[in-house]
Every structure is written in structure tokens, then in C-alpha cells.
Amino acid sequence: MGNGTIQEITHCFLFLPESSAIRAALLIQRWYRQYVARLEMRRRCTWNIFQSIEYAGEQDQIKLYNFFGFLMDHFTPASSERNLISHIFRENEICRDTEWERYFCYKDIEVPDSYTGPHLTFPMTFCGVSKLVEAFKHKQQLHARYVLQLLGETWRLLRILPNINQVSACHTKEITICGDLHGHLEDLLLIFYKNGLPSSEKPYVFNGDFVDRGKNSLEILLILFGFLLVYPNDVHLNRGNHEDHIVNLRYGFTKEVLGKYRMHGKKILKLLQKIFSWLPLATVIDHKVLIVHGGISDTTDLNTIARVDRHKVREPTHHAVNGSKTQMMNNRNREAGGLVEGRRRVCSLTYHSSAPAYKHNLPRRSLHNQPTSSQLNWSVEEELKRRRRQAGFDQSYGELTKSDSDSDPESGETTETDEHEWKQIVDMLWSDPMPQNGCSPNEVRGGGCYWGPDVSEEVLGKHNLQLLIRSHECKQEGYEFCHNRRVLTIFSASNYYEVGSNRGAYIRMGPDLVPHFIQYQASRTSREFTLRQSIGWTERSALRALKEQLFVHKSDLISAFHEFDPNNTGLISLSHWASVTEKVLNLGLPWRVLRPQLVSSTRYGMVDYHQWIRELSITEPKLEISDNSILETMYKNHSNLETIFRIIDTDHSGLISFEEFRQTWKLLSSHLKTEISDKAIADLAQSIDFNKDGSIDINEFMEAFRLVDLSAHS
């Protein structure tokens, strides 16, 4: 309703009798409430779409890394498929501390006279970091020499910091607490503009997830690390679940660094891998407010967290986190009643345990039905041999025994204490609160746990704390209380899913430890939108993303629709359409509510599902390939495929050979338990080798096969 309409209605009221004016006002009030309620329903549906797709992606990631861990545990060290991925589960020998200075030395890197970006001097000063902020604001790039030098100084500082930073609020200064930034540099700059730059008089706590998704993750890290070096007692950085080099392979940070620093990107990434493992895990303000990225569980013990050797949470060569095969899984199963195959591999916080049986057909929203070793030991060797043949590897397989870790130099024994400590860290980085009491596996994300109000009361009471501040979840208003206001979520990346999808927020907290919230929208466009325009914009974006998901599952959908259409009429009821769509996509969405936005027309309450698929308005490249099913497999597993590509591209050149391309597809087909012929893979490789040099550019390949919504361009 525009201002002109309101003025016209007000003008009409002046000429109505009092009783008629009251009745008219009540009618308008009722209409407006219904109007706002409809907008709110649309807003919530839109939010559910974005969040369901995001969490489904995280589950796919966990499943893929569980599969990698499975290969690491059960294939011999010399096997080809194990060699393809083994480097992501260990640190390169050259990255040992004894040779660190030589490998990461920046002194031989010259800064040319033509360089127009910022110049850094060390030790860092407030003036130097301020200039760096201004340079990034104007889209300048820092030279690789300064990047490596700044990262090296940061690594040295982080090594002496405790796992849990202790901060004190006083009457002269407030503490500012920021949540996820996810590469949104404009949000960080807006926070600094509104709140001021970090200093000894303006301390900050940044609560993890600085990287991935956004385009300026590296710039955010360099700014935060710069202020950390200048004010080590007043700038505090907690680790998030995205400060993990394997997660970065999927969600964009690896690609960002290699794109900006083609020559020295590999060294930068390796150094960041070390830095991420040394980031503190939590911050406590005045012994009363706990700040962690994800949350807690019913086993959280801050005394245990305080003494964990945190940097080993990614080095499988150390026994404390390498895993003792089935014993670890059995311990976790007893503890969680058969919890999901865990997250043992310390290279990444997304994998930690290794049950001898890897199962492909896991339901997307329930990952805890993994079989234990006693159920499938009899078929492990046969299954592995079959998968090895399927993947096209012909090296000797070797014998699998219950003590196979003894022959693997990367393996080691893990005690029950080590497993407990590992679980503590994973829960702090991955967990989410839930309204019900109790603690259960986080089946939506596939990692960490859900914890209830009773767990919050117990853990906070045990440590004499009054408030838990966490991040990890996007909130529409930028923040949200739960658990009787004992748990507070803060999220600082505005427009996270789409322009106008959410506000960002940060917290100011004084000595009274009462949080005060500042909300913002970094995009000028979103600030100019009316409520209706904002919801409409984000709704269209969410529906585009959902239509892509529907399109890539079109074969599965049609096959499932046929079960309810035995006479091949091409028609099914709306209720069957909704139930089948949920069964195939498993996103937990209100499909009947979404039906008017997804199905343009019905006939007597029936959906013409063939026409509906055609009306999704999604286009794909036309290629001469003998097996078109490989295209659908690729679209459905686009992110997994890119992750495997980047893992196999060990030199980070952005190019892979035809043989590596074939191995990638065989590895993916083994993970998905599907058959993909060598001819189909060869046809696909030939069709995208545009310059016929026998190699494939990963970025060009992934971009060429990105689905396009025609309705968005019409």
C-alpha cells in the first residue's frame, strides 16, 4: 500500500459519519493484518527453502568426506584411489615446523615498481592496518609478499594463545561481538563505519566463519589478522566450522585464493591451513559469558577444552586424533545411540571416525543409521574389491585385517580420552540449539549435535555462566534468543542468501553484560526496498534455486510419479505430487503451500507432471554424449564433483588431465554407487576440451555446466 493510497483513504474518512469511519477503519485494519500475515507466510517459506538447500549441501559434503575417510581406512596405502585423496588427510612433509621458515619465506618475492597496492611494514601498526582497510575498500589487492609475511606473523602469535580467551569488560569500554561474515567485506566495513575500528579502547570478538561463500574472504582474514597483531589483547578470533581447508574446497575460499594469487596461492593456502588449526576455540567475558561458534552438547566441559592440543585437530599423523578404527565408532555409538559415522580425520573437522562399512544409500536428513563393524565385516573385502574394479584401478589390492592400521604409517592408536576431546571440539563448531530438551545427533547438517534448554542450563550452571553467545546459523533479524534467553545467536553477514534476505547484526556489551544489538543492511538496494519488494525479490531467488533442485532430480521425480500413474495418463493428484516431491528431494518443505509458485496450472486438481517438468524453464548445454545420464549425475552432484576436482588438482594449477578427469568420475561413481561408462566419460572430456590440449580447465568446466533459469532472463 503506497503513501498516495493511504492519503486518499484518510481524505475519504473526513467525509464519513463517525460510525461508518470506525467500521471502515476496522475493515482496513483486518485487511492489513491479513496482508501482513500473507507476507510473513511467504517470508517463512522463502527462508525454509534457502536453509533446507544449504543444509542439504552440508550433508552431501559430510557424506563425501566420510567416503574419503572410508577409502583412507580400508584401502592399502599404495592403492591408486587412496593416493588420489590421501594428501588432504595429512600435512605435506614440507609444512613441518622445522622447515616452515624456508618453505613459506617471503623474502625472495620481489614487489615490482609497478605495484600500486598498499605497502606493509612490520611490526604492524594501527596506521598500517587502517591503510589496508582503505585499500580493500577501493578493491586493491595486497601483494603476495605482504600476504605471506602477515600470515606468518599471525601464525607465530596464534601459537602462544590459549584455547579459551579470557576477556574483561570495564566501565571505560564496551566489547563488540560479531558473528559469521562469510566473505562479506561490505558487512565488516559497515560494522567498522558504525562502531569504529578495533583498538585498545574498542575491543572486538569475531566468532568464526570468516571465509567461504562471499567473494572477499581473504581480505577479511588479512584485516582481522592485522588488527590481531596490533592489539593481541583486544581482538579475539574464534574458530568456526568453515575455518577448515576441506570445507573451503567446496564453498569457494580455495578457489578465491587461487584466483587472486595464481603464483603463490598454494603456499598461502597451506599457511592458512596451519593458521586455522591454531585459532582459539572460545572466548569468555568476565567468567560469565561464553562465546563459541556452534554451541555445546551434554558432554561439553570447558576444562577439557582448555587443555586440548587444538592444532592437532587436523593432523592424522598424531595419535591423539587418528582413530583406532572400530573402537572409536563403537564408543560413539554407545554414547549417542548409534550416531552418524563421525568426524575423525583431523585434516578436516568434517570427518572423524571410520566404521568398516561405508553405506551409500543414506537418507539425506538422517545420517545416524550407519551399520557397525559386526554387521558387515563379512563383506568388507568383497565390497572393496568390487568398488575397486568399478573405479577402474588395477593395482594389487592387498589383504584387509582387523589390525590394518599397523601397516599404515599414517595410522595410530586413539584412546577414549582422545575421542572425548575430539567430540568436544566438533560439538563446539557444528552444533545447533533446539527447543526440545535433550541432546541428539544433528541430522540436518550431518555434524555436531542438537542441544535443548536443559543442556544449556546444565552446562552454563556447571561453569557458573549466565549466557552463551553463538553464531553458525543465519537469522533473519541478525540475532535471536532461545532457551529462556540463555542462548543468543548472532549473525553478521547481511543479505546472506540473497539481497534483502536477512539483516546482519553485532552486539555491544558493557560491564553489566547486557547485550545491545545493532542491525544493518550492507546493500543499498535492500535498504530501499519496501517489505513487499524485499520479500518478492528473495522469494523469486529462492524459487529459482528450488527449481534447479527439482530439475536435476527430474528423472527420479518422473519415475516416482509413475508409481501413482499406472495408466500413464501423465496426471497425478496434488497430494501425490507433494508427497513424491518431498520423498525425492527430502528438503522438509511445505510443498502444498509452495504449489502455486511451482505449478502454473492444474486440471481438476490433477498435475500434468511432464508439462510441469518442461515449465521449470531450466536450460542445459547441448552436447553430443553417448550417455546423457552422466549430465544429470553431474548436475545433481555439481558441488561434490568440483570438490573432487580440486582435491585431485594437487598443484592447484586449475587444470587436470583426461586421466585425472576419468579418475574423478570413477571416484564419484563409486561414492554414488552408480555405473558410469568410460565411453561416456571420454565423450564428456572431449566435448569440453575446447582448445584440444588434452587438459581440462576446472573453472571453465564447472561454469559451462551451470544450470540457467530462463525465466530469470526473460
Side-chain angles (χ1 to χ4, degrees), residues 247-278:
V247 175
N248 302 152
L249 287 168
R250 183 185 185 104
Y251 290 105
F253 182 52
T254 299
K255 179 179 177 180
E256 176 191 331
V257 173
L258 296 176
K260 292 176 179 178
Y261 295 93
R262 294 186 178 276
M263 183 177 297
H264 301 286
K266 183 177 179 180
K267 286 186 178 181
I268 292 172
L269 286 171
K270 283 188 173 293
L271 186 47
L272 283 168
Q273 179 180 338
K274 294 175 71 69
I275 287 173
F276 287 167
S277 71
W278 279 103

Side-chain angles (χ1 to χ4, degrees), residues 413-596:
E413 292 302 316
T414 299
T415 67
E416 194 167 334
T417 300
D418 297 329
E419 163 68 0
H420 175 68
E421 292 177 351
W422 171 251
K423 180 182 180 299
Q424 296 265 319
I425 296 177
V426 172
D427 288 340
M428 292 184 78
L429 299 185
W430 280 89
S431 297
D432 294 307
M434 65 177 179
Q436 301 85 8
N437 284 336
C439 190
S440 61
N442 193 327
E443 297 172 356
V444 175
R445 290 188 189 269
C449 72
Y450 282 123
W451 87 93
D454 58 330
V455 176
S456 293
E457 290 292 335
E458 179 183 349
V459 173
L460 293 178
K462 174 183 176 181
H463 295 93
N464 197 27
L465 298 165
Q466 67 184 41
L467 179 65
L468 166 62
I469 298 177
R470 43 93 62 179
S471 300
H472 195 43
E473 286 184 287
C474 181
K475 298 298 180 182
Q476 289 181 319
E477 297 302 321
Y479 71 94
E480 182 179 277
F481 277 105
C482 64
H483 293 184
N484 302 314
R485 299 181 71 86
R486 299 295 301 276
V487 174
L488 170 60
T489 299
I490 187 72
F491 197 86
S492 298
S494 66
N495 308 302
Y496 177 63
Y497 294 120
E498 181 56 87
V499 174
S501 64
N502 66 283
R503 295 181 180 182
Y506 59 91
I507 300 169
R508 284 182 185 151
M509 182 174 285
D512 58 0
L513 302 182
V514 175
H516 302 276
F517 306 100
I518 294 85
Q519 299 168 287
Y520 53 85
Q521 287 272 15
S523 169
R524 178 177 297 178
T525 302
S526 63
R527 292 195 298 268
E528 294 173 350
F529 280 163
T530 65
L531 177 62
R532 183 177 181 179
Q533 289 173 329
S534 177
I535 292 175
W537 180 280
T538 54
E539 182 181 55
R540 287 190 292 273
S541 177
L543 290 173
R544 283 197 298 271
L546 185 56
K547 286 179 179 179
E548 287 185 10
Q549 292 293 314
L550 291 166
F551 184 81
V552 300
H553 289 85
K554 61 181 180 180
S555 294
D556 296 333
L557 286 167
I558 291 174
S559 176
F561 289 149
H562 283 162
E563 295 180 15
F564 296 95
D565 182 24
N567 298 322
N568 292 322
T569 64
L571 301 173
I572 58 171
S573 67
L574 287 173
S575 60
H576 286 156
W577 172 85
S579 62
V580 166
T581 305
E582 174 56 30
K583 181 180 179 181
V584 172
L585 268 69
N586 235 337
L587 293 176
L589 294 174
W591 294 102
R592 293 195 184 191
V593 175
L594 293 170
R595 194 269 306 167

Side-chain angles (χ1 to χ4, degrees), residues 27-87:
L27 287 173
I28 292 172
Q29 185 183 61
R30 182 186 303 171
W31 172 86
Y32 182 72
R33 287 176 177 173
Q34 292 174 346
Y35 170 77
V36 172
R38 286 193 296 270
L39 285 180
E40 177 62 17
M41 184 178 68
R42 289 171 58 192
R43 186 179 71 95
R44 291 187 181 185
C45 285
T46 298
W47 191 260
N48 287 338
I49 293 171
F50 279 130
Q51 201 165 63
S52 294
I53 293 175
E54 177 189 7
Y55 290 172
E58 289 187 352
Q59 273 200 29
D60 285 343
Q61 168 194 295
I62 296 285
K63 291 179 186 179
L64 180 63
Y65 300 146
N66 284 348
F67 172 67
F68 290 161
F70 171 78
L71 293 181
M72 289 295 296
D73 285 336
H74 298 295
F75 280 63
T76 60
S79 64
S80 298
E81 58 272 68
R82 196 178 192 276
N83 287 336
L84 284 175
I85 62 171
S86 61
H87 63 279

Side-chain angles (χ1 to χ4, degrees), residues 57-72 85 88-89 244-251 341-343 345 348-353 358 430 639-640 642-644 647 671:
E58 289 187 352
Q59 273 200 29
D60 285 343
Q61 168 194 295
I62 296 285
K63 291 179 186 179
L64 180 63
Y65 300 146
N66 284 348
F67 172 67
F68 290 161
F70 171 78
L71 293 181
M72 289 295 296
I85 62 171
I88 68 172
F89 289 116
D244 179 325
H245 76 284
I246 291 187
V247 175
N248 302 152
L249 287 168
R250 183 185 185 104
Y251 290 105
E341 203 171 16
R343 298 153 297 278
R345 295 281 175 184
S348 170
L349 292 168
T350 56
Y351 184 83
H352 104 150
S353 186
Y358 175 81
W430 280 89
S639 296
N640 282 344
E642 183 172 5
T643 300
I644 299 175
I647 289 172
H671 167 57

